[in-house]
Amino acid sequence: MSHRINKYKAKSKRNFDKKAKDYFNTCDGMYSRLMYAGIIKKVSQFPFDSVLDVGCGPGEMLSMIIDGNDSIQACGIDFSAKMLEKAAERLKDKVQLILGDADCLPWHDNYFDLVICSLSFHHYPEPLKVLMEMQRVLKPKGKLIIADPWWSDTKRFIINLYLKSPLNLEGDVKIYSEREFKVLLEQSNFISIEWEKFIEKYCIVSAIANK
């Protein structure tokens, strides 16, 4: 099991280190930009003073969230050093950026009002462990927002078969259905789970930490 987990993580690190220099001209970068408007709309519905972006990449989402609001305590974590270099160039000293893993977040319990995760969750080989960490660092009744790829049942089945094959070199682990997201969130003690599909290509899931 640990070998499989480390294999996925190593592939993801290589993939994102390679793409970091020109990320927004890659397929992943262009796909991620499709999500931004939907994520910002969700974020605007929730009052918060602190936010963590898990899998923050080059920092575009954090930049949009803190734009014009210097009072927000913003943090980001990513396991690609090259991506964090790009985030640091963009965000300067406005955000705390940490090189680390989503399944072991280096913040105290009950630390953030809001945790976001965009185009990253499908890379995690231990999704329940990651969600438990997100639950831990959220304050009571804190909000979680995840944006991730979505495809129809048939396409998702084919894609997930491919992701299990040796042909998968980018470290993607699994594309989740609405039901699978809800089960994982319930197992990690989130409540008020909402799932929404956007433009037939991605979904946004939101939930509240039940503490």
Side-chain angles (χ1 to χ4, degrees):
M1 177 66 76
S2 60
H3 173 72
R4 182 186 71 87
I5 291 169
N6 291 335
K7 188 175 179 180
Y8 275 117
K9 289 183 178 182
K11 286 182 179 181
S12 289
K13 286 181 182 180
R14 286 196 299 269
N15 175 43
F16 287 111
D17 279 346
K18 181 179 178 180
K19 292 178 176 178
K21 184 177 181 180
D22 195 29
Y23 178 67
F24 290 111
N25 287 319
T26 67
C27 291
D28 282 349
M30 289 184 281
Y31 192 100
S32 69
R33 281 190 159 157
L34 293 175
M35 302 179 176
Y36 290 164
I39 297 169
I40 291 298
K41 183 178 179 180
K42 285 286 184 184
V43 167
S44 67
Q45 296 171 6
F46 184 73
F48 63 95
D49 296 314
S50 56
V51 57
L52 169 64
D53 187 353
V54 178
C56 65
E60 179 76 5
M61 180 54 56
L62 283 170
S63 177
M64 294 173 70
I65 289 174
I66 66 173
D67 184 34
N69 194 338
D70 294 334
S71 65
I72 294 175
Q73 180 188 5
C75 303
I77 186 169
D78 204 285
F79 63 8
S80 166
K82 297 294 186 182
M83 282 289 192
L84 284 184
E85 288 176 8
K86 291 297 180 182
E89 290 175 9
R90 175 184 298 274
L91 298 164
K92 308 302 180 185
D93 59 351
K94 297 178 180 179
V95 173
Q96 180 190 24
L97 297 171
I98 299 290
L99 179 65
D101 206 322
D103 60 20
C104 187
L105 299 175
W107 286 278
H108 298 304
D109 296 358
N110 308 322
Y111 197 88
F112 295 102
D113 298 313
L114 173 65
V115 170
I116 62 173
C117 178
S118 60
L119 202 61
S120 178
F121 193 78
H122 64 287
H123 280 274
Y124 301 145
E126 296 183 283
L128 189 58
K129 189 174 181 180
V130 171
L131 288 172
M132 292 298 294
E133 277 294 277
M134 292 174 172
Q135 167 82 238
R136 180 184 64 78
V137 300
L138 276 168
K139 295 177 182 178
K141 307 305 178 186
K143 188 76 168 282
L144 171 65
I145 298 173
I146 297 174
D148 222 41
W150 180 90
W151 302 102
S152 67
D153 290 347
T154 301
K155 287 183 179 179
R156 187 170 61 251
F157 177 78
I158 294 170
I159 290 170
N160 284 335
L161 279 180
Y162 166 78
L163 296 182
K164 292 178 181 179
S165 77
L167 297 174
N168 173 16
L169 301 178
E170 297 194 347
D172 304 61
V173 176
K174 184 176 181 178
I175 306 299
Y176 296 93
S177 67
E178 176 182 0
R179 177 182 172 278
E180 287 170 329
F181 261 122
K182 289 182 176 179
V183 168
L184 284 169
L185 287 162
E186 288 169 355
Q187 289 176 340
S188 48
N189 208 29
F190 282 93
I191 59 173
S192 301
I193 300 165
E194 297 180 0
W195 184 97
E196 188 174 357
K197 177 181 68 177
F198 289 81
I199 59 173
E200 301 293 329
K201 286 193 175 182
Y202 74 97
C203 65
I204 292 182
V205 190
S206 61
I208 293 176
N210 185 24
K211 298 184 177 184

